[in-house]
Amino acid sequence: MEKKLSWKQALLLFSLIFGMFFGSGNLIFPVHLGQIAGAQWGPATVGFLLSAVILPLLSLVALAVTRSESVFDLIRPLGHRPATIFLVALQLCLGPIIVAPRTATVAYSFSFANWLPKGQQQIGLIVFALVYFILVYWSSTQSTKLLDIIGRYLNPIFLVMLAFIFILAILSPMGSTHQAVTAAYQGNAIAPAFIEGYNTVDAMAGLIFGVTIVHSIQKLGYKKPGEIATVIVKTGTLSMVVLAVVYVGLILLGTTSLAHMPISSNGAVALTNVMLYYFGRFGQIFIAVMGTLAVFTTAMGLTASFARDLNRVWPKVSYKGWLAFASLLAFIVATLGLDKIIVWAAPILMFLYPIAIVLILLSLLSPWLGQGRFLYGWALGLTLIAAVFDGLSNAPFAKDLGGLVSYSVGTTTHVGWYQAHIFGASAGFGWIGFAFFGIVIGLICQKLFGTKTQS
């Protein structure tokens, strides 16, 4: 007889899933999207939700469908070494290279960046980031009730405040949604917004942290893979619906804010200005305190996860050793500032996301296609080729690659060979054709030379 999910269990899992995905990127990128999409906010919202809500949910379901204990299990048809490389790449991206340092710069943008004179911004960022990651390291080695209070009580208060802002925005909007549209969103707004959703990094986060959710479900007494998948779909869908509502509210805030302010350099600046508009000085102080606490717990979880996983792979270095490495590297990256982190994160995400998406799709289809080495090798191998080009296309040094990929100088865009000749490449989706042919070739090879499952 199938075990029935109680409302208390559903609420517990909802809180776990929502808390795992809600971080600094979930706050700032929807607001910025609303500003750059302008009147095209509707189609842009659809594209953003596809990559920032649907894909993360599918990553959780993929873990349940394949009965995976970790990301190693998802990619195990290719062997131990590729699984290790992929795990380390994901953890570097989620930890000290992109997301963890981004939390520090978002917290700084919410707080001291608004109070220090322009000439002291860089030194202020360095000091802030240093103290921030010292506290991240210390907190990750302690067992204190403070972190439970932040995660269990203060984060919900922050969300309630956001909900209050959304209600105000509906009753007393800053302006209309008929605002100017930037060049990238004047045509098909869904595609660039889908790419913008990569910045949340939640699809890759689901592959790493989804295992924690699966284990939590098992502890509640659900042991069968089918039951686990059902619970994930139910609670995950609820969590993602709430997250989607937050996204829509933030996107609308960004769009309507254009009536009173220009497009900000990033979403942290825009959200701070929105809080200042509605609540004055109190709003600015509130987001400085609550926003910092919200992203701090995210940084702590990311660096701790990085240290745990790398300690398992290379146990000669202790957990605290890896934690210190992650905190130090994150501090160094954070000193670049939020805008530069976003710019340099783009090629990394454009490289990793296609691989993660194809891996999720292969996992979801594994009951029918199997998990053979030929299938995974060809599908992920060809996707890797396109992902390299997609990454290079978004690199700051793209113009130095001799016309191989597109690059822009001012308002002039020079179309490179990859975007000119590969279908969908100009929009960032050149990998789709490569993945499709990889799956076809892999299935043919699997039929001729192998079996559907790895031996």
Side-chain angles (χ1 to χ4, degrees):
M1 183 176 179
E2 185 176 340
K3 183 178 172 65
K4 189 176 180 181
L5 184 70
S6 70
W7 70 268
K8 287 185 177 180
Q9 291 175 331
L11 187 61
L12 175 67
L13 292 172
F14 159 77
S15 177
L16 175 66
I17 295 172
F18 187 89
M20 183 185 74
F21 284 109
F22 189 78
S24 59
N26 309 88
L27 274 174
I28 65 174
F29 289 108
V31 179
H32 186 63
L33 175 64
Q35 288 195 324
I36 59 179
Q40 285 280 62
W41 71 271
T45 299
V46 173
F48 189 83
L49 294 183
L50 286 174
S51 60
V53 172
I54 301 301
L55 279 180
L57 178 60
L58 292 179
S59 71
L60 298 181
V61 177
L63 289 167
V65 167
T66 56
R67 309 181 189 185
S68 297
E69 292 295 322
S70 71
V71 73
F72 275 99
D73 294 333
L74 283 182
I75 204 168
R76 64 183 175 183
L78 291 182
H80 180 81
R81 183 171 294 178
T84 300
I85 293 173
F86 189 63
L87 172 66
V88 172
L90 288 185
Q91 283 289 17
L92 282 170
C93 179
L94 291 168
I97 297 297
I98 297 177
V99 184
R102 193 171 69 189
T103 64
T105 56
V106 167
Y108 179 73
S109 297
F110 283 157
S111 56
F112 290 94
N114 300 303
W115 307 323
L116 292 176
K118 198 168 186 179
Q120 297 179 12
Q121 288 290 330
Q122 184 60 31
I123 187 64
L125 173 60
I126 293 172
V127 173
F128 180 88
L130 179 62
V131 174
Y132 183 91
F133 283 108
I134 287 175
L135 291 174
V136 165
Y137 174 83
W138 177 80
S139 301
S140 299
T141 59
Q142 305 296 314
S143 259
T144 66
K145 291 185 178 180
L146 173 62
L147 300 173
D148 285 336
I149 292 172
I150 292 173
R152 189 171 297 179
Y153 301 108
L154 296 186
N155 284 348
I157 291 173
F158 184 63
L159 290 176
V160 170
M161 186 66 171
L162 280 180
F164 187 55
I165 296 174
F166 297 158
I167 294 173
L168 276 179
I170 293 172
L171 298 177
S172 179
M174 297 177 70
S176 74
T177 56
H178 301 290
Q179 301 293 336
V181 181
T182 59
Y185 287 82
Q186 288 176 0
N188 177 12
I190 295 178
F194 184 92
I195 300 296
E196 185 73 16
Y198 288 5
N199 285 302
T200 65
V201 201
D202 280 344
M204 293 191 291
L207 295 176
I208 292 292
F209 303 128
V211 178
T212 302
I213 296 172
V214 172
H215 286 171
S216 298
I217 293 172
Q218 291 172 338
K219 288 179 181 178
L220 294 176
Y222 300 90
K223 304 298 181 182
K224 297 179 181 178
E227 289 181 340
I228 294 173
T230 300
V231 172
I232 284 180
V233 170
K234 288 180 178 179
T235 57
T237 299
L238 175 61
S239 304
M240 293 304 164
V241 166
V242 174
L243 189 58
V245 171
V246 173
Y247 284 152
V248 173
L250 290 171
I251 290 170
L252 281 172
L253 281 177
T255 300
T256 57
S257 72
L258 293 175
H260 292 273
M261 63 189 72
I263 295 177
S264 304
S265 59
N266 58 67
V269 174
L271 188 56
T272 301
N273 289 335
V274 169
M275 294 290 286
L276 189 62
Y277 174 86
Y278 279 113
F279 301 106
R281 186 72 170 170
F282 167 77
Q284 192 178 52
I285 295 174
F286 180 89
I287 198 170
V289 176
M290 299 302 296
T292 298
L293 290 174
V295 300
F296 180 82
T297 54
T298 300
M300 189 194 70
L302 292 171
T303 52
S305 173
F306 175 89
R308 279 195 302 268
D309 275 350
L310 266 72
N311 176 246
R312 292 190 190 107
V313 177
W314 292 292
K316 288 185 178 181
V317 179
S318 68
Y319 165 79
K320 287 188 176 181
W322 284 117
L323 189 65
F325 170 79
S327 300
L328 177 61
L329 182 56
F331 159 69
I332 293 172
V333 175
T335 60
L336 296 175
L338 181 56
D339 291 337
K340 285 186 178 178
I341 289 176
I342 292 173
V343 169
W344 282 99
I348 299 174
L349 295 177
M350 291 296 290
F351 169 72
L352 285 177
Y353 244 85
I355 299 171
I357 293 172
V358 173
L359 181 60
I360 291 169
L361 293 178
L362 288 174
S363 301
L364 292 173
L365 295 173
S366 62
W368 301 277
L369 302 183
Q371 291 181 288
R373 184 181 297 271
F374 285 117
L375 174 61
Y376 276 59
W378 277 102
L380 292 172
L382 291 188
T383 302
L384 178 63
I385 295 173
V388 170
F389 282 101
D390 285 331
L392 292 174
S393 300
N394 288 268
F397 51 82
K399 64 179 180 296
D400 300 322
L401 298 177
L404 187 63
V405 295
S406 296
Y407 63 92
S408 298
V409 177
T411 59
T412 304
T413 298
H414 300 268
V415 179
W417 177 89
Y418 176 66
Q419 285 77 11
H421 295 87
I422 302 300
F423 176 77
S426 59
F429 298 103
W431 58 270
I432 293 178
F434 283 77
F436 174 78
F437 284 110
I439 291 173
V440 171
I441 295 172
L443 288 174
I444 293 173
C445 291
Q446 184 170 272
K447 184 73 173 178
L448 295 176
F449 308 113
T451 58
K452 289 179 68 175
T453 55
Q454 183 189 21
S455 58

